[in-house]
Amino acid sequence: MRIKVCGMTQVEQIKHLDNIGVEFAGFIFYHKSPRYVFKHMPRPEIKKIRGQHINKVGVFVNAPVEELLEIVDECGLQMVQLHGDETPKYCEKVADYVDVIKAFRLREDDQVLWKIKDYQDIADMFLFDTEGAGYGGTGKKFDWSVLKGLQINKPFFLSGGIGPDDVENIKTFIQDPVAKDLFSLDVNSKFETIPGLKDMQAVEKFVNEIKTIK
C-alpha cells in the first residue's frame, strides 16, 4: 500500500517521510492554501529534495499551463495533481510533459463514472476527495461507498480526511473490487499540528500500520 503525505512545507519532515518509506510528498502551489509551499520553501530548495522512496507531487488549482510547467522544471517535480476545474484539453497539454493525477471532489450522490469518463484516456491517475466550498482539502471524508463496485480502470489515490484511526476502515475498503485500482492513500490535515506541519510520530505509526496490510 503506497502513501502520499500532502501539504509538506519542511525539508526535515520530507526526509523523515523518505526514511519511513513514504512514496509521495505533496507540495501545494495554490496561493490561497494555508499550506502554500512558496511561503516556506524557495524553488531551488524544493528542487534539491531527493530520496530513496519519495516522489515530489505538485498540487495545482486552475494554474496557467505555462506557469505550471515552469514550476515543474524549477522544482524538479515528478508528478502534478490537478485539483481544480481543469478541462480534459488542459490535462492533455500537461500530460504531454509530466504525469498527471486528476482530482475529483465527490458528493454522496455523484455519478463517479460519468465525472471521470472524459479524463479516462488523458490522466495517468485519478484522486478522489471530498466536495467542499473551496478547492482545498476539507479534512472530511466522503462516503467511500460511492466507489464500491465500480470499474475505475485507472490507478487512483483515495483522499479526503483520512486520519490515524482509519486503518480498519481502509482494511474494509480494500476488500471491495474497486480497490484493485487503489494506487495510494493520500493524507494531510488529520496528521497536522498546524497547517503544513505534520505530527511525524502519528504519521510514522500510521505508515507502519498501513504497510502491514496485505
Side-chain angles (χ1 to χ4, degrees):
M1 180 74 71
R2 301 174 191 88
I3 297 173
K4 171 173 170 270
V5 183
C6 202
M8 301 306 297
T9 62
Q10 309 290 324
V11 172
E12 287 307 312
Q13 293 205 335
I14 298 159
K15 288 179 181 175
H16 192 158
L17 294 183
D18 187 53
N19 289 338
I20 61 177
V22 170
E23 290 86 358
F24 303 98
F27 300 85
I28 296 177
F29 294 95
Y30 179 48
H31 69 279
K32 292 184 180 179
S33 169
R35 301 168 186 85
Y36 181 49
V37 69
F38 286 151
K39 287 181 181 175
H40 305 273
M41 304 168 67
R43 299 178 191 213
E45 189 173 18
I46 299 170
K47 187 161 192 174
K48 280 186 205 169
I49 295 170
R50 298 279 191 280
Q52 274 192 304
H53 308 281
I54 213 81
N55 293 276
K56 293 179 285 185
V57 182
V59 180
F60 296 87
V61 175
N62 302 330
V65 172
E66 297 76 15
E67 177 187 312
L68 182 152
L69 298 182
E70 181 180 284
I71 290 173
V72 168
D73 280 343
E74 293 185 355
C75 294
L77 304 179
Q78 279 91 26
M79 307 174 81
V80 299
Q81 175 181 320
L82 303 178
H83 214 88
D85 306 309
E86 297 87 2
T87 64
K89 190 171 183 180
Y90 177 105
C91 291
E92 191 168 23
K93 286 181 184 176
V94 177
D96 284 341
Y97 194 79
V98 65
D99 286 347
V100 166
I101 305 162
K102 180 65 185 93
F104 297 92
R105 302 183 301 280
L106 302 182
R107 297 186 300 264
E108 289 182 19
D109 58 347
D110 265 333
Q111 298 297 311
V112 178
L113 297 182
W114 183 86
K115 285 189 89 159
I116 67 177
K117 67 181 177 63
D118 292 338
Y119 298 84
Q120 191 75 45
D121 297 327
I122 297 169
D124 296 282
M125 300 181 189
F126 295 144
L127 180 145
F128 298 117
D129 199 356
T130 308
E131 179 70 75
Y135 292 107
T138 63
K140 298 176 182 176
K141 267 186 214 63
F142 66 92
D143 182 359
W144 294 352
S145 68
V146 301
L147 298 173
K148 288 192 171 182
L150 298 183
Q151 292 287 331
I152 301 297
N153 296 323
K154 179 78 68 178
F156 68 86
F157 289 71
L158 184 65
S159 187
I162 295 174
D165 300 329
D166 279 315
V167 175
E168 291 304 316
N169 294 332
I170 291 161
K171 286 180 180 177
T172 300
F173 181 81
I174 65 172
Q175 302 307 312
D176 189 270
V178 73
K180 73 179 175 58
D181 294 317
L182 176 59
F183 180 76
S184 177
L185 302 174
D186 180 283
V187 304
N188 189 351
S189 61
K190 295 293 187 183
F191 291 89
E192 289 184 328
T193 53
I194 59 172
L197 192 66
K198 302 299 186 278
D199 177 346
M200 294 309 297
Q201 189 174 352
V203 171
E204 186 165 350
K205 182 175 183 290
F206 179 78
V207 169
N208 290 338
E209 291 176 337
I210 291 297
K211 296 290 185 181
T212 64
I213 297 176
K214 303 297 183 188

